[in-house]
Amino acid sequence: MEKGGTKWVFRGNPKFKSGSQISSISGALQILHGSLNAADERPTIPVGHGDPSVFPCFRTTHIAEDALNHAVQSAKFNSYTPTAGLLPARRSVAEYLSRDLPYKLSPDDVFLTSGCRQAIEVSLSVLAYPGANILIPRPAYPHYETYAPFINLKVRHFDLLPDKGWEVDLDAVEALADENTVAIVIVNPGNPCGNVLTYQHLKKVAETARRLGILVIADEVYGHLTFGNNPFVPMGVFGSIVPVLTLGSISKRWIVPGWRLGWLAITDPNGVVKENKLQQFYVLTVLLMFQGAVPQILENTKEDFFNKIISLLRQTADICYDEIKGIGCITCPHKPEGSMFVMVKLNTSLLEDIYDDMDFCLKLAKEESVIVLPGTVLGLKNWLRITFAIDPSALKDAMERIKSFCQRHAKQVSNNNGTKNNDS
């Protein structure tokens, strides 16, 4: 645009340029949805996102709904909110987390956030300084890597090992860390891998962090959503070894991601964080009505609700894992034991006209109306993240469509008779 002979140029933050959207889950999903074939009358099946609440079988408990209704109707929560959050809400979160710890958290150890994403942003922001770096897993939930550049925090990746149940490569962690490393991020139960780390391995992570003199940021948004051999062990159990910043929310366990109610909790019985004055977080907290509902939600939800969700996730995880075995170009190195996801390896050499994981997902969306997340978004090229937290019948349909897609695109291999066989 020109005015008075002067050319007007938009000078925005280059981190927001359009090409960068592929680095986010929402950006990738938007691209994939844009490639859907409008002429396909079949329903689109979303196995690329982490929001099971759209399926009736994953509806939240009436305890949560009643608590929110009561908070709204009471007219007690229409005012501005305290910076760290309402004291009764912070106290209830502290008590909820303390159930699984060898020591008791206080309300002053808890800060309420607008979902776990804001908890990520707050924890990274308070640790960032010029030249600082943070260790994050590969693959990982991408918001850590997306947000870090905005606060000039450098990212260093350590690998999760698929052949060892997606455990942390501790040797790589020690090699990556230096005097400017501030923390290591652990996501357990795992997003995107569906793994659940053992007590023994988590203790080794804590001991490694202590030797390196760094904090542990424990992303436990999928806490307690486990259905395999390994129980959920909160990283805060090892707070006496190393200070732990625990990030969580009610989004996943209560199936209400749209409520945006999360927390950041400090587990630091030795007072290291307090001594270094890192506890002065500034948080723009969640809506007050949700905070008013927190105590009832955390204290009154019955175990039968949680058991129902776990049973459903176990069922759908089994469906997903079993169906993958029948798809030649996709392999699953580790059966999911927690969260709502599984990472699978894509072998493009077995496919005729598929170049990489993004190409696979684009063509799958167009031809089969199934949305799968490309692993590139999560740091692993030619891998896929599949969500199994959907209706079981829809999941079976999705896996059948993926199988048909792979068979249709499979390379044809000639045998000794000159005929061609499907290689997938």
Side-chain angles (χ1 to χ4, degrees):
M1 181 179 70
E2 294 188 8
K3 183 177 181 180
T6 302
K7 186 176 182 180
W8 188 90
V9 179
F10 176 74
R11 298 177 178 86
N13 190 329
K15 296 185 178 72
F16 282 106
K17 62 182 180 180
S18 60
S20 66
Q21 64 179 331
I22 192 61
S23 65
S24 71
I25 292 176
S26 59
L29 293 179
Q30 183 177 1
I31 293 173
L32 294 173
H33 278 280
S35 68
L36 290 168
N37 181 3
D40 191 344
E41 297 181 353
R42 296 174 298 176
T44 300
I45 306 179
V47 289
H49 72 345
D51 185 359
S53 66
V54 298
F55 298 95
C57 60
F58 279 100
R59 181 168 178 169
T60 191
T61 170
H62 69 89
I63 297 293
E65 295 171 341
D66 292 346
L68 183 57
N69 287 334
H70 178 75
V72 173
Q73 293 170 1
S74 72
K76 295 179 179 179
F77 305 104
N78 297 330
S79 59
Y80 288 119
T81 175
T83 300
L86 284 179
L87 178 58
R90 289 188 289 118
R91 181 183 295 115
S92 65
V93 172
E95 292 174 351
Y96 169 72
L97 296 176
S98 295
R99 298 174 194 172
D100 301 314
L101 301 177
Y103 18 70
K104 187 174 178 61
L105 299 181
S106 79
D108 292 336
D109 297 321
V110 174
F111 299 81
L112 299 185
T113 61
S114 180
C116 193
R117 178 175 292 196
Q118 191 190 35
I120 292 172
E121 295 174 358
V122 172
S123 60
L124 297 191
S125 297
V126 78
L127 295 173
Y129 64 85
N133 66 77
I134 189 168
L135 310 181
I136 66 172
R138 182 172 48 206
Y141 178 63
H143 193 59
Y144 292 93
E145 187 161 5
T146 301
Y147 183 71
F150 286 91
I151 54 174
N152 296 315
L153 182 62
K154 298 177 181 178
V155 168
R156 296 182 178 181
H157 298 96
F158 61 88
D159 288 327
L160 302 181
L161 306 173
D163 58 337
K164 293 186 177 180
W166 297 104
E167 286 187 346
V168 175
D169 186 344
L170 292 174
D171 292 336
V173 169
E174 298 232 28
L176 286 169
D178 61 19
E179 66 277 5
N180 290 318
T181 303
V182 293
I184 178 174
V185 174
I186 301 295
V187 183
N188 182 54
N191 174 12
C193 302
N195 60 313
V196 180
L197 299 176
T198 65
Y199 178 98
Q200 292 78 10
H201 187 67
L202 290 170
K203 185 177 181 182
K204 289 180 181 179
V205 171
E207 292 169 343
T208 300
R210 179 174 181 172
R211 284 196 302 274
L212 298 173
I214 61 178
L215 302 176
V216 175
I217 297 176
D219 185 328
E220 296 175 358
V221 72
Y222 292 94
H224 293 283
L225 291 179
T226 61
F227 37 84
N229 294 325
N230 296 331
F232 168 63
V233 178
M235 195 73 205
V237 166
F238 308 103
S240 59
I241 297 176
V242 62
V244 177
L245 305 184
T246 297
L247 317 182
S249 77
I250 68 170
S251 297
K252 307 300 183 178
R253 196 181 186 198
W254 276 267
I255 320 294
V256 286
W259 290 17
R260 312 309 302 143
L261 198 159
W263 55 76
L264 186 158
I266 303 171
T267 307
D268 180 32
N270 296 325
V272 176
V273 173
K274 186 176 182 179
E275 181 179 319
N276 288 276
K277 298 182 180 180
L278 291 178
Q279 201 165 348
Q280 303 304 311
F281 296 107
Y282 180 77
V283 183
L284 297 174
T285 52
V286 69
L287 290 173
L288 202 63
M289 66 184 70
F290 291 119
Q291 296 184 48
V294 167
Q296 290 188 54
I297 295 173
L298 297 186
E299 296 165 15
N300 298 336
T301 302
K302 307 299 181 183
E303 282 299 316
D304 59 354
F305 168 74
F306 297 132
N307 293 336
K308 173 192 171 185
I309 297 300
I310 291 297
S311 178
L312 190 52
L313 288 174
R314 181 183 293 111
Q315 176 189 356
T316 55
D318 286 344
I319 292 171
C320 189
Y321 184 71
D322 291 341
E323 293 293 330
I324 288 170
K325 293 177 183 178
I327 305 175
C329 62
I330 297 175
T331 55
C332 181
H334 185 74
K335 184 177 182 178
E337 297 183 323
S339 78
M340 301 176 175
F341 310 101
V342 63
M343 284 293 285
V344 298
K345 177 70 173 174
L346 175 66
N347 188 347
T348 57
S349 68
L350 298 178
L351 300 172
E352 190 66 46
D353 55 351
I354 302 296
Y355 306 108
D356 57 22
D357 55 324
M358 189 65 190
D359 189 40
F360 178 96
C361 294
L362 285 168
K363 290 175 178 175
L364 177 67
K366 182 178 181 179
E367 297 178 25
E368 297 290 347
S369 296
V370 175
I371 304 294
V372 171
L373 189 71
T376 298
V377 182
L378 307 167
L380 281 188
K381 185 176 181 178
N382 289 338
W383 287 72
L384 308 168
R385 189 189 76 171
I386 298 176
T387 304
F388 50 82
I390 73 171
D391 178 84
S393 61
L395 180 59
K396 289 179 181 179
D397 188 2
M399 300 308 296
E400 282 298 322
R401 295 191 204 179
I402 294 172
K403 184 176 181 179
S404 296
F405 174 84
C406 291
Q407 290 175 339
R408 189 164 59 252
H409 288 269
K411 283 186 177 179
Q412 301 295 312
V413 179
S414 298
N415 59 24
N416 293 332
N417 299 324
T419 59
K420 293 184 177 181
N421 295 326
N422 191 306
D423 196 40
S424 185

